[in-house]
Amino acid sequence: MIDIQNISFSYAGQKTKVFNNFSLQLTENNIYGLLGKNGTGKSTLLYLVSGLLRPSHGTVKVDGVESMLRRPEMLEELFIVPEEFDLPNMTLEKYVSINQPFYPRFSREVLQNCLNDFELPASLSLQSLSMGQKKKVFMSFALAAGTRLLLMDEPTNGLDIPSKVQFRRVVANNMTDDRTLIISTHQVHDVESLLDHILILSNERLLLDASVADICEQYNFEYRTPGAPVDDVLYSEPSVQGNAVITRRTADMPETPLNLELLFNAVTLGKVNGSIGNQGKTNQ
């Protein structure tokens, strides 16, 4: 669905390239977690995919069409929720009536269901909302748009704890088999349970490109008490429950839930070097 081939990109006035000869392929019917430290290009990658930014070299294609062309047939199948945005001074009903025609599969039923899950009324003024409420409304519209590709940049920033629970429920209830969602975030615990596939970026490189199923098949995530054996431990860090550790999983071990924060730290520090899917692909 998304084919990124050998792209280079830097912002005007900056010598350092955000991406240099970077490649990545993403398929449909997945929820991708796009992770990385601040400044590693997560948001930039979303804008390149949506065609709002253009690479200086290489190509970004969505369903075989270069995204920078911003063709109507691509735009009606793509929606991006940026980290920061403004909504116009109008009612939600007016906003929907203006923007709904751009999305052939827009569903008012989905919109209403999302608003219900977020505990928001359908009749409201966009300018009277808090930032957290604006995010809920905009994400509700994004899901109701029915696009095959949905991009979200730090969607849980500005949401309180109950709202983050609502967010996970809303996304889980409104994903369809033909839809692909890419969530760029550094709040890994907020989205951990939603993800099918993990991407970790660092300094123009793709450190990890693997499905959650492959990761959990090859690695165990557990807690061990201080003084417990560590001969098989690939990476560990202290926690209130003891030491959080990653070990290589053997055939006789039960599968454990993914600890995404632990995995992220291990991968970025180079402590987990085993082959997981396409892990280690440098894209340079």
Side-chain angles (χ1 to χ4, degrees), residues 14-47:
Q14 296 185 3
K15 295 182 179 180
T16 303
K17 290 184 177 180
V18 181
F19 293 108
N20 184 27
N21 200 30
F22 179 89
S23 298
L24 176 66
Q25 288 76 45
L26 304 180
T27 58
E28 64 182 1
N29 191 23
N30 276 305
I31 301 179
Y32 288 92
L34 180 59
L35 313 179
K37 297 179 180 178
N38 291 337
T40 53
K42 301 188 302 297
S43 300
T44 301
L45 187 60
L46 295 187
Y47 289 126

